[in-house]
Amino acid sequence: MNAQYVELVLFEQSLSYLGSMNRPFSDRVEDAAEKTAGSVLFDVRVDGDRRFQRIAAIGYGADGTVAIALGKDGHLISAPIDGGEALIAEIAAWFSLSMAEQSSNSYNDAPARLLANLRKAGILDCNGRTGAK
């Protein structure tokens, strides 16, 4: 499996937890990465966004990167990322630091800028709901 199957894995997760509590976002991202032969590049909180509270990225080497965003309403949206490699690398580098190093180094507003770039490119629908819950 690869990047094109992330949405399918998220949908499968939604169906398997119907009627019960959903798993934490980080667990779902790791599960999607594992089932699609990718690696989690980062999973971070987004401060100050009107719609999203978390964003993660799964890398597939030369095959690209997929973003998964968690909406404040609990919906998940996944989309391939075309461009934005510098922001992804910046966030991934911060995410790979130890907790002590993370607390003393800000990753600035990189997640918010990444979301803005994805919106601008039309990858994240600002009004409609897409993705699994």
Side-chain angles (χ1 to χ4, degrees), residues 110-124:
R113 288 183 292 152
L114 179 58
L115 282 172
N117 287 352
L118 294 173
R119 284 183 173 115
K120 188 182 211 180
I123 295 171
L124 293 181

Side-chain angles (χ1 to χ4, degrees), residues 55-109:
I55 188 166
I58 300 174
Y60 297 94
D63 290 334
T65 305
V66 172
I68 302 174
L70 173 63
K72 291 187 177 183
D73 62 0
H75 279 84
L76 295 178
I77 295 175
S78 68
I81 299 175
D82 188 22
E85 289 83 9
L87 281 174
I88 293 166
E90 179 183 341
I91 301 167
W94 179 86
F95 186 71
S96 69
L97 297 173
S98 70
M99 191 69 92
E101 292 173 313
Q102 286 180 354
S103 66
S104 63
N105 294 298
S106 172
Y107 62 107
N108 298 318
D109 60 347

